[in-house]
Amino acid sequence: MNWRRRVNKTFGDLTGFQLTRLPVAAPEPEPEVRAPADPASDRLLRAPVFLLCPVRSGSTLLRAVLNAHSMIHAPHELHVRRLTVGYGTTLAERAMGALGHNRADLEHLLWDRVLHRELVRSGKRVVVDKTPANAFAYQRIAACWPDARYVFLLRHPASIARSWQETSGRSPEDAVTDSLRYMKAVERARKALPGLTVRYEDFTADPAGKAREICSFLDVPFEPGMLDYGDAPWVKGLGDWKDKIRTGTVQKGRPLPPIDEVPAPLRALTTRWGYT
């Protein structure tokens, strides 16, 4: 008799109860992810914009500039892809199935409603979501909104890793490993989806020129005042909130590191993104 059985027997002798291991429930199968069956009725939102980017790539700066435009609403990171739906009962599951909805369909309806509400309340025409983790779910986002538009924001990989180390407290090695996951996800999305690619360094060097390019892509007129975004609403933990971003104007980026100072795991992507 092993020690677990001895303990259980003693517990039973003393209390009259026995401990029994509960069966482990099988994980719920992932639902099929598919495009809306009827886009005209299944989606309130038309042509949402997703800023796909790694962490520490300047996305909060770009969203502040875009949000200062009279037609663009670019709120803090929304993380809508993390919103899930549960049936609660098998009857609810059967009822939704009879309507033609699986769990992924219902989640897409929820995501769409949240973003649409944000846009309507803003009184603007275009909504932009800049959550960096969206890069890991680009396929799901593309399925949810087949008409979505994408802006890919890049930054020198070594600058991303260094900034991630400084703001997160990670070791240099961990900062490289963790931020590289985001960079690779963005690169996969860039290969799979059409969109406009903007480099952070180019944007900070020529804010007006790059803002014009982005506005043209989004089919809105360029507004010079968007570059002086002022005291945008900041939410700690849902984007950058440090002193540099809070100046209200576009600041120049840090100098680019020479290639021999770029960590080895980042060199291939540094070359692919045109920094060498």
Side-chain angles (χ1 to χ4, degrees):
M1 182 183 296
N2 62 31
W3 69 269
R4 291 185 180 87
R5 290 181 180 176
R6 289 197 299 270
V7 169
N8 202 16
K9 183 177 184 306
T10 301
F11 180 77
D13 293 340
L14 293 173
T15 66
F17 295 98
Q18 291 288 317
L19 300 177
T20 303
R21 184 190 299 272
L22 291 174
V24 178
E28 185 178 352
E30 289 297 319
E32 178 188 359
V33 174
R34 54 200 181 188
D38 183 0
S41 60
D42 290 353
R43 296 294 177 269
L44 298 175
L45 203 56
R46 299 289 177 252
V49 179
F50 292 90
L51 179 58
L52 298 183
C53 56
V55 292
R56 308 306 303 169
S57 58
S59 61
T60 300
L61 171 64
L62 183 52
R63 84 98 178 156
V65 169
L66 293 176
N67 193 58
H69 193 287
S70 65
M71 297 183 183
I72 302 174
H73 179 48
H76 58 71
E77 296 172 11
L78 297 176
H79 297 271
V80 293
R81 77 179 187 96
R82 293 298 190 185
L83 301 179
T84 59
V85 169
Y87 291 114
T89 69
T90 56
L91 284 176
E93 183 175 3
R94 287 173 57 191
M96 292 300 100
L99 293 178
H101 303 311
N102 66 16
R103 184 161 51 85
D105 298 332
L106 296 173
E107 288 171 352
H108 290 172
L109 290 172
L110 173 61
W111 300 357
D112 182 72
R113 183 66 180 88
V114 170
L115 284 183
H116 182 260
R117 180 180 183 272
E118 269 300 299
L119 182 59
V120 170
R121 285 169 60 87
S122 74
K124 297 185 179 183
R125 198 178 90 189
V126 178
V127 67
V128 178
D129 183 1
K130 55 82 62 183
T131 309
N134 281 342
F136 296 108
Y138 73 87
Q139 293 170 309
R140 184 84 186 262
I141 289 171
C144 181
W145 293 282
D147 62 346
R149 294 171 290 176
Y150 304 95
V151 176
F152 303 102
L153 179 63
L154 310 182
R155 187 182 184 185
H156 194 294
S159 297
I160 290 175
R162 181 180 170 188
S163 181
W164 193 225
Q165 175 196 347
E166 293 169 350
T167 57
S168 69
R170 288 168 170 80
S171 68
E173 295 77 15
D174 287 346
V176 167
T177 300
D178 195 35
S179 61
L180 184 57
R181 293 191 308 111
Y182 285 86
M183 296 181 229
K184 288 181 176 179
V186 171
E187 186 61 13
R188 288 192 294 269
R190 280 214 310 153
K191 290 179 178 179
L193 301 171
L196 174 68
T197 296
V198 177
R199 298 199 312 180
Y200 167 77
E201 293 84 2
D202 296 336
F203 178 71
T204 55
D206 180 18
K210 288 302 172 182
R212 285 181 184 276
E213 186 178 352
I214 296 170
C215 287
S216 176
F217 176 72
L218 300 183
D219 196 26
V220 297
F222 169 68
E223 296 178 356
M226 64 192 296
L227 299 176
D228 294 315
Y229 54 85
D231 188 19
W234 313 108
V235 182
K236 187 175 181 179
L238 297 177
D240 194 0
W241 68 93
K242 302 299 184 183
D243 290 344
K244 189 174 182 180
I245 192 72
R246 297 171 73 93
T247 60
T249 58
V250 180
Q251 305 293 309
K252 287 191 178 299
R254 68 179 71 195
L256 298 183
I259 190 61
D260 59 342
E261 294 181 9
V262 175
L266 303 179
R267 290 182 183 175
L269 206 54
T270 299
T271 300
R272 194 174 308 150
W273 286 359
Y275 286 101
T276 59

